[in-house]
Amino acid sequence: MRDARIAVIGAGAAGLSLVRRLAAHADPPPVILLDAPPGPLRPPERTWCFWEEPGGEFDAVLTTSWSRLRVRSRDGRATLGRLAPLRYKMLRSPDFTALVAAELAKAPTVRRITATVTEVRDTPGGAHLHARATDGTPLHLRARWVFDSRPLPALPPARTTFLQHFRGWFVRTRDPAFDPATADLMDFRVPQPPRGLAFGYVLPLGPRQALIEYTQFSPTALPSQAYDDALHHYAERILGLGEFTRTGTETGVIPMTDAPLHRQRGHSVFRIGTAGGATRPSTGYTFAAVQRQARAIAAACAAGRRPVPPPCHSRRARTMDAILLRALATGRIDGPDFFADLFRHTSTPRLLRFLDGRSHPAEDLAIGLRTPVLPILRTAAELPLLRRRTRPEAPR
Ligand SMILES: Cc1cc2nc3c(=O)[nH]c(=O)nc-3n(C[C@H](O)[C@H](O)[C@H](O)COP(=O)(O)OP(=O)(O)OC[C@H]3O[C@@H](n4cnc5c(N)ncnc54)[C@H](O)[C@@H]3O)c2cc1C
């Protein structure tokens, strides 16, 4: 049995963000970071986008960043928003992982173990972990605090669960086709699903290179071929890219749910990251919230407090998201019109502050008044009466 002050399970965005914060403390606690071996439990590489001011701690390893965001309504009308003083930043997971690995290589208090965690048990004064090393050897570990970022086996019951499901192609065009200063956040010119909404997402990496994605917010994921068909249509018919080659692919399914995701599994065991509710239900954005959560946990550990992860999103934000998800799911609001109008009538920095949960109630009200008020009020009134139900199938 090995002892550690802190055990962190999972070396994804949440686990790595937390461990690097703990290691950066003036008097860092001993930490064991456990991650599954390469295989089905390891998430594939991905790109994270988030917004913040220039000079952020990951700026040196960003792929790129943009000063403008564009939203296009179904009829092609464009709203161009200037982000200043913020930038929309793209960080690829291998670059983040390499940065953190280099930091941790210089951190004598952090030990990395490749093993599959099979059980975590809260015990008096700490927790016990059982794991299996790559060669099958059982491993037992005791820690004062455990932070677990393993994905939940199934989502808890919810009033509404949508999936944000998407596929992206990294493309290289023969002729210049992209404006490297502008990212297309939502382009609603794509065919829409019967429930929810769909949009194109274009992240230019240069005049001839971009990540282009087809995304749906809807109840179920699509067959694989449907994403490729939608991307062909988007690239060729809508964006008119001309001749291009595909250099990579990215696929994802992010749950958008109003289910309560509990951060405490016991006195000493906590969930972090997506499993602990870091994903904003209405947008799927997670990375910035994970950074805030990691900072707060590390500060609590340094201060000798019980390091319960704080909620990543305020109750007000989660309530508004529950209303929005429900209004979309019932078809009471038209998704493409809703988002296109929101961007048209609200300044982009204010909207991003709102999405970060950093806006004031007065600003929220001003934004709320720009939405279809009656369907939203009807949905808000109905929400407390709805039962939370288990999804028939968990998203993969
Ligand atoms: C393709 C894609 C693109 C995304 N883009 C964005 C974006 O642009 N902006 C944004 O904010 N969010 C984005 N998200 C959402 C979110 O940021 C990510 O899902 C984020 O990577 C979640 O990090 P996590 O650490 O909580 O979970 P994960 O990344 O799922 O990490 C879980 C970790 O647990 C480990 N693990 C699992 N089981 C075991 C086990 N039994 N034992 C030991 N270890 C185990 C895995 O190896 C993994 O390291 C995206 C998601 C996807 C899928």
Side-chain angles (χ1 to χ4, degrees):
M1 173 92 68
R2 298 182 208 201
D3 275 358
R5 174 97 188 126
I6 295 174
V8 175
I9 308 174
L16 289 178
S17 299
L18 176 57
V19 173
R20 70 185 285 276
R21 293 268 168 213
L22 292 167
H25 189 255
D27 180 17
V31 176
I32 287 189
L33 171 62
L34 297 115
D35 196 24
L41 295 176
R42 280 257 184 110
E45 290 180 1
R46 57 196 54 177
T47 51
W48 292 303
C49 286
F50 55 97
W51 49 87
E52 63 172 13
E53 294 188 4
E57 58 186 332
F58 306 121
D59 274 16
V61 291
L62 293 179
T63 306
T64 190
S65 69
W66 301 272
S67 59
R68 292 190 301 234
L69 290 179
R70 184 164 46 210
V71 171
R72 281 189 193 274
S73 54
R74 260 184 295 215
D75 61 9
R77 260 192 307 164
T79 302
L80 194 62
R82 284 175 202 287
L83 282 157
L86 306 172
R87 291 192 72 87
Y88 193 59
K89 301 183 175 184
M90 182 204 265
L91 174 61
R92 301 207 64 196
S93 61
D95 298 324
F96 172 75
T97 304
L99 173 82
V100 179
E103 289 175 357
L104 298 186
K106 291 184 239 146
T109 49
V110 177
R111 195 144 172 233
R112 299 187 70 155
I113 296 180
T114 301
T116 302
V117 173
T118 50
E119 194 190 344
V120 182
R121 211 156 20 89
D122 209 45
T123 56
H128 281 188
L129 258 97
H130 295 263
R132 227 179 20 254
T134 320
D135 63 2
T137 314
L139 197 75
H140 301 290
L141 198 93
R142 200 167 42 204
R144 178 68 191 90
W145 308 114
V146 174
F147 297 95
D148 188 354
S149 71
R150 285 175 299 164
L152 298 177
L155 287 174
R159 289 173 296 217
T160 315
T161 298
F162 257 16
L163 302 179
Q164 179 175 150
H165 50 105
F166 52 94
R167 175 165 301 167
W169 290 345
F170 288 90
V171 296
R172 191 189 302 274
T173 57
R174 195 192 60 192
D175 301 318
F178 305 107
D179 167 7
T182 306
D184 281 285
L185 196 63
M186 292 178 137
D187 182 346
F188 291 110
R189 290 176 294 170
V190 298
Q192 297 296 318
R195 284 176 66 198
L197 57 100
F199 57 89
Y201 181 49
V202 182
L203 300 173
L205 307 172
R208 290 186 176 82
Q209 278 168 274
L211 170 61
I212 61 168
E213 292 195 354
Y214 173 77
T215 301
Q216 282 195 4
F217 294 179
S218 63
T220 46
L222 302 174
S224 175
Q225 186 60 42
Y227 297 101
D228 285 333
D229 292 346
L231 276 165
H232 270 297
H233 177 261
Y234 186 52
E236 290 153 21
R237 300 271 187 81
I238 297 177
L239 295 178
L241 295 187
E243 213 174 287
F244 69 89
T245 48
R246 278 192 256 162
T247 58
T249 304
E250 172 170 299
T251 301
V253 179
I254 306 174
M256 307 172 81
T257 176
D258 68 354
L261 294 167
H262 299 294
R263 285 159 282 120
Q264 299 192 48
R265 278 191 54 206
H267 184 79
S268 302
V269 181
F270 309 108
R271 288 197 191 278
I272 56 170
T274 292
T279 298
R280 181 87 199 246
S282 61
T283 63
Y285 284 104
T286 313
F287 188 80
V290 156
Q291 303 313 314
R292 293 197 293 273
Q293 187 180 60
R295 266 195 294 275
I297 295 171
C301 289
R305 296 194 305 269
R306 185 168 166 250
V308 184
C312 285
H313 308 292
S314 67
R315 183 183 288 271
R316 194 169 84 230
R318 281 180 284 130
T319 303
M320 288 188 298
D321 284 4
I323 295 168
L324 175 60
L325 285 179
R326 184 81 198 158
L328 285 172
T330 52
R332 280 184 202 136
I333 59 171
D334 176 284
D337 288 354
F338 176 86
F339 283 105
D341 285 349
L342 204 57
F343 277 88
R344 193 169 301 127
H345 297 302
T346 312
S347 84
T348 306
R350 174 185 272 198
L351 204 51
L352 296 183
R353 247 195 341 270
F354 169 72
L355 293 178
D356 265 344
R358 289 191 291 121
S359 47
H360 306 297
E363 287 181 301
D364 292 356
L365 183 65
I367 292 172
L369 291 174
R370 293 292 185 182
T371 64
V373 174
L374 284 179
I376 291 284
L377 285 180
R378 182 177 160 205
T379 308
E382 149 192 291
L383 217 54
L385 311 174
L386 297 171
R387 278 191 32 224
R388 295 184 191 273
R389 293 172 196 277
T390 309
R391 256 178 81 79
E393 62 184 273
R396 287 181 299 120

